[in-house]
């Protein structure tokens, strides 16, 4: 078997359904398997998987065991030569895994491969590629110096700014939302460190892979949506776990002074507080108009009843992709993409084309009864049921 895709889920039933649907589409031509590890969800995630995706291997934990242990359990059941650790709040394109597999086979010193990640508004996520957060690099992040001097080598390492967003290359650290590597290497490295509940586990694994003499790669030629934070409520527990995760990494890998430890602790507190406030303060934008991309006009009428507003319709023909450059979409429009006719690859492309234009996006997964998406990478997404 070529590939095992491991998805760890915790109470994101609708995002999980969208994710697995996209993964199934991307694995059509690959000898593969999908393994979902559920950390004791209470939202019907497991029931949905059993009814809609009976071929998915489901592992049900009786408690929330955290990110590292949950993924380690999944990998222990995997059969693929390669594995992909994938978040449940992601959407992959139909050719994502084929492209990454081809790239992987051409690397002699392969460590981990990460891809270009965007949020639900189409904006690039800088954590797609990062440097080792040494004490100095961490200082540039916490202090904000990396923003002031993005082209200076001494300050731009946290987000690997030496490498352009649309450029393949070696990087140090990759994010756990999408990590592609050989199963044998994952096992040799010992997998994720289960002493860390979540948040710095991906940094730790990436760093340990580097210490084995392997190279980690950022691969920009496929884009994946990562809605971010769907499993995490940004409350006091989040803040405590974030602080513990950062302290875990530094204690494990670096000898630091008492002064630096105190500075970083203060910095982490302020950083995590900012994240907590950011997650609570987002004001949901209200769409003034709606545009459905589909081949079924009747669907626009159904959505109009749900949103209580008129829904404009643009016919999308699968055999001939619409020329997006010829379409004028007004600000404050919510574009709804019917995945029955609009491929996941086209959905991703549309998000990138219309990013930062005051437009929001939603997807109707194929053969489902809900509309899903997110308007911010700092807030939880939205699910609207149509039936």
């Amino acid at each position: 078997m070529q590939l095992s895709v491991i998805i760890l889920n915790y109470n994101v039933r609708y995002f999980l359904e969208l994710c697995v649907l996209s993964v199934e589409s991307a694995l059509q031509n690959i000898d593969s398997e999908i393994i979902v590890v559920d950390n004791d969800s209470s939202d019907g995630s497991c029931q949905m998987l059993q009814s809609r995706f009976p071929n998915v291997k489901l592992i049900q934990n009786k408690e929330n065991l955290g990110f590292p242990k949950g993924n380690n359990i999944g990998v222990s059941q995997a059969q693929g030569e390669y594995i992909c650790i994938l978040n449940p709040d992601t959407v992959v394109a139909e050719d994502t895994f084929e492209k990454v597999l081809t790239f992987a086979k051409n690397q002699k010193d392969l460590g981990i491969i990460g891809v270009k990640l965007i949020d639900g508004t189409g904006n690039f996520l800088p954590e797609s590629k990062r440097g080792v957060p040494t004490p100095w690099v961490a200082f540039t992040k916490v202090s904000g110096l990396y923003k002031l001097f993005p082209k200076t080598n001494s300050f731009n390492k946290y987000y690997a700014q030496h490498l352009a967003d649309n450029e393949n290359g070696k990087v140090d650290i990759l994010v756990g939302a999408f990590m592609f590597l050989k199963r044998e290497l994952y096992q040799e490295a010992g997998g994720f460190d289960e002493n860390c509940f979540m948040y710095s586990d991906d940094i730790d694994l990436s760093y340990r892979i580097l210490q084995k003499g392997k190279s980690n790669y950022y691969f920009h030629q496929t884009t994946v949506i990562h809605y971010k934070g769907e499993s995490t409520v940004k409350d006091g527990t989040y803040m405590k776990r974030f602080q513990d995760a950062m302290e875990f990494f530094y204690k494990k890998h670096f000898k630091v002074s008492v002064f630096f430890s105190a500075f970083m602790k203060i910095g982490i507190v302020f950083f995590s507080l900012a994240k907590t406030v950011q997650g609570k303060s987002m004001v949901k934008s209200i769409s003034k108009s709606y545009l459905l991309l589909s081949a079924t006009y009747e669907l626009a009428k159904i959505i109009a009843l749900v949103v209580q507003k008129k829904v404009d319709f643009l016919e999308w023909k699968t055999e001939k992709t619409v020329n997006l450059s010829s379409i004028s979409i007004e600000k404050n429009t919510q574009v709804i993409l019917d995945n029955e006719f609009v491929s996941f690859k086209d959905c991703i492309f549309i998000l990138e084309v219309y990013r930062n234009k005051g437009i929001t996006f939603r997807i109707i997964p194929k053969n489902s009864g809900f509309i899903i998406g997110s308007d911010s990478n700092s807030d939880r997404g939205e699910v609207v049921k149509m039936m």
Side-chain angles (χ1 to χ4, degrees):
M1 183 177 291
Q2 277 189 293
L3 176 62
S4 299
V5 179
I6 317 297
I7 303 169
L8 178 67
N9 177 69
Y10 180 65
N11 283 333
V12 286
R13 176 244 185 273
Y14 294 101
F15 282 92
L16 176 65
E17 182 172 350
L18 174 63
C19 174
V20 174
L21 188 62
S22 74
V23 171
E24 274 198 340
S25 299
L27 294 176
Q28 290 294 318
N29 302 317
I30 301 172
D31 182 18
S32 58
E33 63 180 350
I34 303 172
I35 299 174
V36 174
V37 181
D38 185 79
N39 264 350
D40 196 30
S41 295
S42 57
D43 64 349
S45 292
C46 294
Q47 293 88 333
M48 177 276 296
L49 282 169
Q50 290 167 335
S51 61
R52 178 154 194 190
F53 304 104
N55 293 327
V56 168
K57 184 170 185 176
L58 174 61
I59 301 171
Q60 299 183 59
N61 293 329
K62 294 183 179 180
E63 60 180 306
N64 185 357
L65 299 175
F67 185 89
K69 190 167 185 176
N71 276 297
N72 288 345
I73 290 172
V75 175
S76 71
Q77 300 295 313
Q79 301 297 315
E81 177 185 0
Y82 294 90
I83 59 169
C84 181
I85 304 297
L86 188 69
N87 269 27
D89 55 351
T90 57
V91 178
V92 302
E94 284 78 1
D95 59 358
T96 288
F97 295 121
E98 292 178 0
K99 285 184 173 180
V100 175
L101 270 169
T102 299
F103 181 79
K105 291 174 182 177
N106 289 326
Q107 312 309 317
K108 295 181 180 179
D109 58 348
L110 181 65
I112 305 172
I113 298 173
V115 297
K116 182 180 181 182
L117 299 172
I118 60 172
D119 64 16
T121 67
N123 283 300
F124 176 73
L125 292 171
E127 61 265 30
S128 300
K129 51 183 180 65
R130 292 176 288 179
V132 176
T134 61
W136 169 251
V137 171
F139 173 76
T140 65
K141 165 65 175 175
V142 173
S143 64
L145 288 171
Y146 76 99
K147 292 181 180 179
L148 299 176
F149 306 100
K151 295 183 179 180
T152 304
N153 289 335
S154 298
F155 300 98
N156 67 3
K157 295 186 184 300
Y158 190 87
Y159 286 127
Q161 289 163 288
H162 69 283
L163 197 67
D165 301 349
N166 293 320
E167 180 183 3
N168 294 339
K170 294 181 180 182
V171 296
D172 294 330
I173 306 297
L174 296 163
V175 66
F178 187 109
M179 300 182 90
F180 187 102
L181 67 161
K182 284 197 170 184
R183 179 166 59 96
E184 183 180 14
L185 178 60
Y186 184 95
Q187 292 170 331
E188 286 177 4
F192 289 111
D193 190 330
E194 295 179 12
N195 291 310
C196 179
F197 190 82
M198 61 195 307
Y199 297 129
S200 69
D201 33 56
D202 49 2
I203 300 174
D204 175 61
L205 180 61
S206 297
Y207 188 60
R208 284 188 283 120
I209 294 295
L210 291 179
Q211 290 176 319
K212 283 185 164 291
K214 301 294 184 179
S215 296
N216 297 329
Y217 290 90
Y218 167 71
F219 179 68
H220 85 90
Q221 287 166 287
T222 187
T223 301
V224 170
I225 301 172
H226 181 206
Y227 288 107
K228 290 192 68 176
E230 292 306 319
S231 300
T232 306
V233 177
K234 291 181 171 61
D235 55 10
T237 301
Y238 160 84
M239 189 171 72
K240 177 67 166 58
R241 285 177 177 167
F242 183 83
Q243 292 177 47
D244 290 346
M246 294 299 102
E247 290 179 5
F248 159 82
F249 182 76
Y250 283 107
K251 287 179 179 178
K252 181 174 179 178
H253 294 292
F254 296 102
K255 291 182 179 180
V256 295
S257 66
V258 174
F259 171 79
F260 177 82
S261 295
F263 170 80
M264 284 306 301
K265 191 171 183 65
I266 294 170
I268 289 168
V269 168
F270 278 106
F271 184 71
S272 51
L273 275 173
K275 284 285 187 181
T276 304
V277 172
Q278 192 178 33
K280 292 179 178 178
S281 63
M282 295 299 299
V283 177
K284 294 281 186 182
S285 59
I286 300 175
S287 300
K288 294 182 179 179
S289 59
Y290 294 82
L291 174 64
L292 172 67
L293 272 61
S294 176
T296 307
Y297 177 69
E298 292 301 315
L299 184 58
K301 297 180 181 179
I302 296 172
I303 297 172
L305 292 174
V306 175
V307 300
Q308 296 294 298
K309 284 188 179 181
K310 178 187 175 184
V311 177
D312 294 320
F313 176 74
L314 175 64
E315 187 174 13
W316 186 275
K317 298 180 179 179
T318 54
E319 68 273 12
K320 186 178 180 181
T321 302
V322 175
N323 181 7
L324 286 171
S325 62
S326 65
I327 303 171
S328 176
I329 302 177
E330 295 181 0
K331 192 175 181 180
N332 292 326
T333 296
Q334 184 174 107
V335 175
I336 303 172
L337 306 163
D338 180 6
N339 177 236
E340 183 71 36
F341 305 99
V342 186
S343 69
F344 287 114
K345 186 174 182 178
D346 282 337
C347 288
I348 293 167
F349 177 69
I350 290 168
L351 262 65
E352 289 194 279
V353 168
Y354 285 98
R355 67 184 184 277
N356 297 325
K357 294 186 179 179
I359 299 168
T360 57
F361 307 94
R362 296 292 184 272
I363 296 175
I364 304 176
K366 186 184 299 183
N367 299 324
S368 73
F370 60 92
I371 306 169
I372 192 167
S374 175
D375 301 338
S376 168
N377 60 37
S378 299
D379 199 11
R380 305 193 84 182
E382 179 183 65
V383 176
V384 176
K385 297 178 184 178
M386 295 190 294
M387 55 184 69

